[in-house]
Amino acid sequence: MQFTNVPTLVKALNLMIRKTALLTCLTTATLTFSMIDAACAAPPAVVAVNREIGLSVTGNFQDVIAKGNRQYNSTYQGYHYTDTYQSNSSYRDHATGWTPGFRADAQYMFDTSILKHLYVASSFTLDSGNINENYHYHETAIRSGSSPNHYGARDNVGFNRSGINVTGEIGKGFLLLNDRLLITPVVQGGYSAGGYDTYTAYGKGYVGLALHVDYAITSRLVIRGRAGWAQYLKVGTHYNSNGYYSDKGSRPEWSGDIALDYRMTDCFHLTGGVRYTYLNYGHANYFNSTSSSYGSAYSYSNNETAWRNGVQLRLGVAYQL
């Protein structure tokens, strides 16, 4: 009867145990790295573009039109004569031009234990440059017993216009179409100011709603859209009971964006787009009349309106967080 050499058997068992341990370690490491990769997998492209900080250069076009009509009528009754006077005037003020500037954006989309794809964002824009203003005025005055007199004036000047705008948004995204489409309704609020050679004059706050729509054309290219409504405070121009200007009420600004976001590397994106805005400043109407027992009387009326169209072109780079 033959017996196996004990030391040889021990060495064989020891080698087997080492191989088994090594295999177990390799298997565990492989599973661990697989879990880490799965946990750190890149988000869908439409989510990635909402986790960026970016800086863009902008070209800002503004077209502001204000116009109005005024009428004045008077009658004076003397002892032996009656004198009448009538005046009709109109004006149109048109300011338009392009100004350069920049825009900084920061946005982030995250998950909580309860909700997914929560969204927060902020944006700051600044622009300054020279634009043209064209002013036209015409008046016709008629006095009893005289021929009509015509007055008029035209002026075309350039001036510096500066402006800033700060916007904040909070919302929630909804993924659709196999994570290729992201719809994000948000609440927005902000502050806008600017004017002739100043960044701080005529400041107005606003609140409103907006809807973001992002669609991934490819894993690198995303087309982005936004439609917004912002209610500006104290924008409407009216007359008060004494006939003087008074800023009351609020006015809505409507905006629409279309943009592209292209992922050049894992972190850097090329961004660009165009935004259109429209704001109607409202109407100012005033009428007043008096009369006396001697037959003298006068009446005065004024009607004014103004609106603004704006376009912003931008091109920049963003860093994905």
Side-chain angles (χ1 to χ4, degrees), residues 9-245:
L9 181 60
V10 172
K11 290 181 179 181
L13 290 174
N14 189 32
L15 181 60
M16 184 179 297
I17 291 172
R18 289 181 179 180
K19 290 182 177 181
T20 303
L22 180 60
L23 181 61
T24 301
C25 290
L26 290 175
T27 303
T28 303
T30 301
L31 292 174
T32 301
F33 282 115
S34 297
M35 294 174 64
I36 293 175
D37 289 340
C40 299
V46 290
V47 175
V49 298
N50 286 284
R51 295 176 178 174
E52 295 178 342
I53 54 175
L55 184 65
S56 306
V57 293
T58 64
N60 306 275
F61 176 77
Q62 189 170 105
D63 183 74
V64 182
I65 297 176
K67 63 180 182 178
N69 297 282
R70 299 183 178 93
Q71 289 186 346
Y72 177 80
N73 297 279
S74 66
T75 300
Y76 179 76
Q77 185 69 47
Y79 287 104
H80 302 289
Y81 68 95
T82 300
D83 182 42
T84 61
Y85 178 81
Q86 182 180 17
S87 172
N88 295 286
S89 63
S90 64
Y91 80 92
R92 187 175 188 270
D93 192 2
H94 186 196
T96 182
W98 288 89
T99 56
F102 74 90
R103 170 174 160 175
D105 295 277
Q107 52 191 327
Y108 194 69
M109 184 166 281
F110 61 96
D111 300 337
T112 67
S113 58
I114 301 176
L115 298 174
K116 291 186 176 182
H117 307 123
L118 295 179
Y119 176 78
V120 293
S122 62
S123 175
F124 173 80
T125 63
L126 180 149
D127 68 283
S128 180
N130 292 325
I131 65 175
N132 293 321
E133 181 177 21
N134 184 282
Y135 180 80
H136 172 71
Y137 173 81
H138 181 265
E139 178 181 0
T140 299
I142 303 174
R143 185 176 296 276
S144 58
S146 302
S147 300
N149 293 316
H150 300 279
Y151 309 94
R154 288 181 179 271
D155 196 10
N156 190 358
V157 297
F159 65 92
N160 177 271
R161 188 195 68 82
S162 304
I164 61 171
N165 187 77
V166 182
T167 304
E169 295 182 335
I170 301 176
K172 184 188 181 307
F174 299 90
L175 276 173
L176 303 169
L177 301 180
N178 297 321
D179 296 345
R180 293 175 64 90
L181 176 65
L182 178 68
I183 298 177
T184 309
V186 301
V187 176
Q188 67 166 329
Y191 180 82
S192 179
Y196 298 100
D197 294 315
T198 176
Y199 291 100
T200 57
Y202 310 107
K204 301 176 181 66
Y206 58 87
V207 293
L209 302 173
L211 181 67
H212 295 260
V213 179
D214 300 312
Y215 179 76
I217 300 176
T218 68
S219 60
R220 289 181 175 271
L221 182 62
V222 176
I223 183 171
R224 314 192 68 185
R226 180 186 181 277
W229 156 72
Q231 193 75 12
Y232 274 80
L233 309 178
K234 290 187 177 181
V235 174
T237 302
H238 301 268
Y239 284 97
N240 60 22
S241 58
N242 296 322
Y244 297 102
Y245 278 110

Side-chain angles (χ1 to χ4, degrees), residues 212-286:
H212 295 260
V213 179
D214 300 312
Y215 179 76
I217 300 176
T218 68
S219 60
R220 289 181 175 271
L221 182 62
V222 176
I223 183 171
R224 314 192 68 185
R226 180 186 181 277
W229 156 72
Q231 193 75 12
Y232 274 80
L233 309 178
K234 290 187 177 181
V235 174
T237 302
H238 301 268
Y239 284 97
N240 60 22
S241 58
N242 296 322
Y244 297 102
Y245 278 110
S246 177
D247 291 330
K248 299 179 181 179
S250 62
R251 296 293 173 185
E253 180 185 72
W254 304 96
S255 63
D257 294 55
I258 188 71
L260 292 174
D261 187 297
Y262 179 74
R263 180 168 59 85
M264 298 182 294
T265 68
D266 289 340
C267 295
F268 289 97
H269 295 228
L270 179 66
T271 63
V274 58
R275 166 176 291 187
Y276 170 76
T277 58
Y278 173 78
L279 173 65
N280 191 314
Y281 290 96
H283 292 81
N285 296 291
Y286 177 71

